[in-house]
Amino acid sequence: MRILLVEDEEDAARLLAKGLRERAYAVDVAADGESALLKTAVSDYDLILLDILLPGKSGLEVCRQLRSAGNQTPVLMLTALDQVPDRISGLDHGADDYLGKPFDLDELLARVRALLRRRPRLEKDVIEVRDLRIDTRSQTVTRAGRPVELTTKEYTLLEYLARRQGEVVGRADISEHVWEEDYDPFSNLIEVYIQRLRRKLEEGHAGPRLLHTRRGQGYRLGNPEADDA
Ligand code: CA
């Protein structure tokens, strides 16, 4: 899952981005409203964390512009102005939820998960693909009851493919939702991660292969089909 964090205070942004990355989210950071709008125009984020007090365009204005442009990405507003009128104003401008600063990271993460769950594909906390089980709350993975140890990035990639199990997921989609904006589209990073993930999921397991390559199209998690490699 990829999050856009819009926060002008550098230290706060760095800390929050670090906390989110540790929980397997890809995070892009924008320090003002204009660059936030530019980023949302080129990338399809799964969620936006939006500070209200920003230099130039306020978070409220950014949210209003997003919604009037038809962007439906969930928005969680963050601000020190934790007063009822500001809360109402944030929701009136199209935000989905509101959290006053200072906030507890665990509460923020719980609200992020709650907002992501509203999207139909993301509603489940535990995802199963045959004998593979992914618990998205604890970020633990087991296959046939045995734990599979993954790095944060490998986990993020697996969860994304699992949320779309049965579908062929293209490289562009993967880079957009699993990697951050510094991803180089000409690198072979996705292939490298797919190979590592495949090795960890399938080595030593008698069960069927789960992670398939559809040549020239992308990758698919689930039962094999005739034209998978
Ligand atoms: Ca601010």
Side-chain angles (χ1 to χ4, degrees):
M1 298 298 110
R2 183 165 170 197
I3 293 177
L4 175 63
L5 168 61
V6 190
E7 165 65 85
D8 58 315
E9 288 144 61
E10 242 178 79
D11 288 345
R14 195 167 42 233
L15 262 175
L16 185 49
K18 180 171 178 284
L20 289 164
R21 288 183 181 122
E22 281 167 2
R23 305 301 179 96
Y25 295 103
V27 186
D28 292 345
V29 179
D32 61 69
E34 283 299 342
S35 54
L37 287 169
L38 278 175
K39 286 179 198 291
T40 58
V42 294
S43 297
D44 177 20
Y45 291 99
D46 297 293
L47 184 121
I48 300 170
L49 292 174
L50 184 57
D51 188 26
I52 290 189
L53 293 179
L54 295 168
K57 204 165 274 189
S58 78
L60 293 173
E61 179 57 19
V62 170
C63 193
R64 197 193 58 74
Q65 279 188 234
L66 279 174
R67 294 305 185 231
S68 66
N71 186 315
Q72 293 303 314
T73 306
V75 171
L76 173 54
M77 288 259 187
L78 305 172
T79 187
L81 301 172
D82 190 17
Q83 289 169 349
V84 174
D86 301 300
R87 232 179 263 209
I88 292 169
S89 175
L91 299 172
D92 278 347
H93 282 74
D96 298 276
D97 197 6
Y98 186 104
L99 190 58
K101 291 179 183 176
F103 51 80
D104 178 73
L105 182 61
D106 287 329
E107 182 180 0
L108 176 103
L109 291 165
R111 286 178 189 241
V112 164
R113 286 195 300 273
L115 285 177
L116 290 173
R117 267 202 304 271
R118 290 193 201 163
R119 308 190 109 184
R121 189 186 285 151
L122 306 177
E123 64 201 355
K124 283 196 224 145
D125 285 330
V126 175
I127 313 167
E128 288 180 330
V129 184
R130 296 190 64 131
D131 58 353
L132 182 71
R133 186 175 188 279
I134 302 164
D135 187 326
T136 64
R137 291 158 304 187
S138 58
Q139 292 170 2
T140 49
V141 178
T142 57
R143 181 147 192 216
R146 296 216 309 255
V148 180
E149 298 295 338
L150 300 176
T151 65
T152 306
K153 204 51 145 188
E154 290 163 355
Y155 172 83
T156 310
L157 175 59
L158 177 64
E159 184 187 321
Y160 186 66
L161 292 172
R163 297 257 185 220
R164 299 182 58 175
Q165 60 178 287
E167 279 178 63
V168 178
V169 184
R171 288 166 44 109
D173 254 8
I174 293 174
S175 67
E176 188 140 286
H177 292 272
V178 178
W179 266 271
E180 298 173 3
E181 61 192 339
D182 56 3
Y183 175 78
D184 171 5
F186 299 106
S187 80
N188 67 342
L189 210 53
I190 292 178
E191 282 80 355
V192 170
Y193 273 88
I194 289 279
Q195 279 165 25
R196 279 189 212 160
L197 197 52
R198 182 176 281 145
R199 200 162 52 232
K200 289 189 178 182
L201 293 179
E202 304 189 347
E203 220 164 54
H205 283 279
R209 289 184 64 178
L210 291 179
L211 184 49
H212 313 282
T213 301
R214 183 76 63 86
R215 216 172 294 283
Q217 295 180 44
Y219 306 97
R220 202 172 56 76
L221 196 68
N223 291 331
E225 281 171 18
D227 48 352
D228 285 329

